[in-house]
Amino acid sequence: MPAPLIRCEGLAKRYEVGGGGVHALRDLTVSVMPGEFVAVMGPSGSGKSTFMNLVGCLDSPSAGRYWLAGEAVDAMSRDQLAAVRNRRIGFVFQQFNLLPRTSALDNVELPLLYAGVPRQQRRERALRRLGQVGLAERVDHHPPQLSGGQQQRVAIARALVNDPALILADEPTGALDSRTSIEVMALLQALNREGITILVVTHEPEVAAFASRIILFRDGRLVRDTAHRAQDATTALAALDRQTDTAPVTGSGTLAGGARSTRGI
Amino acid sequence: MDLLATLRIALKALRTNALRSALTMLGIVIGVAAVIAMIGVGKGAQTRVEEQVRSLGANVMVLWPSSVNAGGVRSGSGGVQTLTEDDAWAIALEVPEVAFAAPTQRGSGQVVFGNQNWFAAVFGVGNDFFEVREWGLAAGRHFEPAEVQGSGKVIILGQTVARQLFGADTPYEDMIDRVVRLRRVPLTVIGVAERKGQSAVGQDQDDSVFVPVSTARTRLFGVVQGKQRRINSIWIKVHAGEDMKAAEEGIRTLLRQRHRLADGQDDDFTIRNLTEVMQAQEAASRSMTALLAAIASVSLLVGGIGIMNIMLVSVTERTREIGLRMAVGARGRDILSQFLIEAVTLSSIGGAIGIGLGVLAAELVGQSAGWRIEIQTEAVLLAFGFAGLIGVFFGYYPARKASRLTPIDALRYE
């Protein structure tokens, strides 16, 4: 049996608020194997975001142990954590978090910049990833010139550019319309088939349906962990197109369509 | 992460908020310009004083007759010529610190050559005088001993006089052996003195002629005939490294003896230590320069605080950007250097503009006020370096603040 990519033992996070502490996450023990596609669900305040932040090495646990690809992350220094985030994890955020007034290409190059990759190589790798997400024609566009779906694809290219083992997507479809959401999920599924482990935080069952495993949080505890037969996003997209063809007026049928958001950083 | 990439990020951030960057820079620009201009003006003044000190000659004192009290009637300075040539020889011989003591008889008169004439100060001197004043000749020779002793009819011209009488284009050599008239006495030109420039009080020192002291006394200003050989003043040069105060005391004691002054009686002469006076002026101008620079530095400091203020605003505004950079792998020191370089870039560009503006302002002030301006490379480099340091100093706190954010807090910042 292969070693798990993510292994948490007794992981807990406690915030000190006012008079006492609030347990955002209690005594979590869970493992994720390489190549899994996991949806993390739960109502707001359930601890799912805290879990993602800990897994993403953006926050440090109050107690418990966490290994990422066999490395004990809980004992690492800030700089070591930065290196782990840089090399092993790609982040996709609800609000895209692209740098404004910066071209798509430069946005995608950002992780390589911090990895110390030479300029020429940075460019080549970023261009390749932008091509992979279908934005080869728009590498010089700035975020406000792109649709929401395109911005999210730039963000996915950025998450991919350093060849991470794990992609953490925090409500990646939260700012997108339903069709663009499915497109993004199809992209994530394609990456998953290439062997990248994917964790998606979502509160939408429609999005979770594309995952092969669903973890449910409530009140800071993991309450349910179920395997799931994943729905294929490409098929769902085709089905949606057939609906659109029969329905006379919808107006959001183009690939570039989707919610436009100019919100940057 | 390489420096070049960091620099590009910094420049981009500065361009993004161009107006804000420009206004922040303005503080540094004005500060550096003020420092450069002030030091330029101050240094110029200082150099002028220093040149005056040099033109005076080193370790120089002057003796003048002072007021004489004759039965309650006081004569006023120089009213009675109490100094004699013999006093000068005695000082040169008997006061060990003294290198030269040059008796000087001063007057003035119309110097005539052909159809040209010019009114000039006339110095009756010996060759010692040129030694004391460290005043060389542009052409010709000094006085012969016989000329000094025996009222030789010879004259050495100052530059201004030479030019007025002979025109601007005549070579000095052609002036030698010409005969000029002074108070109807024909005098042969034997030399032309070097240019000396202005004195400390702004007099043109080259607007003078020199004749042997005996000639001045007997042929030109023949006031006192006879043995006393009275003179106006004695110029004294003290040996290098000797104590001027000790020399002054030695001269005073000697002259009181020679003039037979009783204890309690006032000196009938005045000793002025010119070098000391000039050095005091020099020190004053130097502290003035320092003062000007210090005042200007305050504006540079204020400019620095402006940078800190803007950088703090920038860090707060860009907290989410910092969070994202950290999420994709920026270490604390990457963020630190990004903001630090931003601050240093801001202050360095401001410093460079400030230098240009400062030089320009100094030249303008110099031209409109007629002051001498001296821009030193050291001052320019110092101001530029200081501007950069201000960027580091005032940029460090905001940059450190940014680098210490935790990624998750920064990402969630609204």
Side-chain angles (χ1 to χ4, degrees), chain B residues 44-57 123 133 135 159-160 194-208 235 274 278 281 369-372:
Chain B
Q46 201 177 315
T47 310
R48 215 176 84 180
V49 174
E50 278 167 9
E51 272 175 10
Q52 285 166 356
V53 171
R54 266 202 300 283
S55 86
L56 179 75
F123 287 88
R133 297 298 314 277
W135 203 338
Q159 290 265 328
T160 306
E194 278 178 346
R195 176 168 297 286
K196 198 70 169 165
Q198 283 192 348
S199 76
V201 290
Q203 262 178 342
D204 179 7
Q205 299 180 90
D206 299 311
D207 194 3
S208 333
W235 286 73
L274 292 183
M278 296 298 299
Q281 266 190 41
W371 291 345
R372 179 178 179 144

Side-chain angles (χ1 to χ4, degrees), chain B residues 151-267:
Chain B
S151 308
K153 291 195 213 172
V154 290
I155 188 167
I156 295 174
L157 302 177
Q159 290 265 328
T160 306
V161 180
R163 286 294 162 222
Q164 291 297 336
L165 292 182
F166 292 93
D169 302 325
T170 313
Y172 297 127
E173 284 70 23
D174 291 0
M175 303 175 189
I176 309 295
D177 292 337
R178 300 300 180 101
V179 176
V180 299
R181 286 172 180 279
L182 177 58
R183 295 203 165 195
R184 295 190 191 152
V185 180
L187 301 167
T188 307
V189 177
I190 59 163
V192 178
E194 278 178 346
R195 176 168 297 286
K196 198 70 169 165
Q198 283 192 348
S199 76
V201 290
Q203 262 178 342
D204 179 7
Q205 299 180 90
D206 299 311
D207 194 3
S208 333
V209 295
F210 308 92
V211 296
V213 63
S214 51
T215 311
R217 204 171 44 237
T218 57
R219 295 189 194 275
L220 300 177
F221 312 115
V223 272
V224 182
Q225 282 277 359
K227 299 170 188 170
Q228 295 234 9
R229 309 212 286 168
R230 296 202 181 269
I231 47 171
N232 296 125
S233 57
I234 303 175
W235 286 73
I236 289 164
K237 188 181 192 67
V238 176
H239 280 298
E242 291 286 356
D243 183 11
M244 297 286 279
K245 280 269 172 284
E248 201 177 317
E249 269 324 298
I251 293 164
R252 174 165 286 124
T253 311
L254 178 69
L255 283 190
R256 285 187 70 90
Q257 277 174 14
R258 287 179 58 84
H259 294 186
R260 298 197 178 80
L261 298 174
D263 288 350
Q265 215 174 338
D266 288 340
D267 291 345

Side-chain angles (χ1 to χ4, degrees), chain A residues 52 90-93 167-172 188 198-202:
Chain A
M52 289 297 278
F91 290 92
V92 178
F93 302 96
I167 284 186
L168 291 179
D170 191 356
E171 303 275 7
L188 290 178
I198 294 176
L199 257 72
V200 178
V201 171
T202 183

Side-chain angles (χ1 to χ4, degrees), chain A residues 39-161:
Chain A
V40 180
M41 298 194 70
S44 51
S46 62
K48 63 179 193 298
S49 290
T50 306
F51 170 64
M52 289 297 278
N53 294 336
L54 290 176
V55 168
C57 303
L58 294 169
D59 208 351
S60 43
S62 318
R65 314 247 19 221
Y66 167 35
W67 292 267
L68 180 66
E71 285 183 303
V73 169
D74 49 90
M76 282 187 181
S77 70
R78 282 176 59 116
D79 281 1
Q80 285 172 315
L81 288 176
V84 167
R85 287 194 296 269
N86 185 249
R87 263 178 245 119
R88 298 208 186 280
I89 307 171
F91 290 92
V92 178
F93 302 96
Q94 179 176 4
Q95 298 298 342
F96 322 137
N97 281 358
L98 299 176
L99 296 183
R101 300 179 206 88
T102 304
S103 70
L105 186 64
D106 285 346
N107 263 294
V108 176
E109 276 187 31
L110 199 60
L112 299 177
L113 201 66
Y114 293 115
V117 175
R119 189 176 159 81
Q120 190 57 37
Q121 241 184 70
R122 284 205 303 264
R123 182 132 301 215
E124 283 166 13
R125 285 168 66 175
L127 281 172
R128 198 173 75 231
R129 291 306 186 180
L130 277 166
Q132 193 180 354
V133 299
L135 288 174
E137 308 293 313
R138 293 189 157 74
V139 293
D140 290 325
H141 285 48
H142 287 207
Q145 300 167 307
L146 298 169
S147 72
Q150 287 168 337
Q151 289 188 54
Q152 195 59 299
R153 279 190 275 162
V154 172
I156 291 171
R158 181 179 64 193
L160 284 173
V161 77

Side-chain angles (χ1 to χ4, degrees), chain B residues 60-95:
Chain B
V60 172
M61 287 192 265
V62 183
L63 257 72
W64 279 297
S66 72
S67 165
V68 174
N69 190 334
V73 180
R74 295 197 294 164
S75 71
S77 285
V80 176
Q81 294 201 330
T82 56
L83 295 173
T84 67
E85 239 180 289
D86 297 328
D87 283 338
W89 308 142
I91 289 167
L93 277 173
E94 289 178 36
V95 182

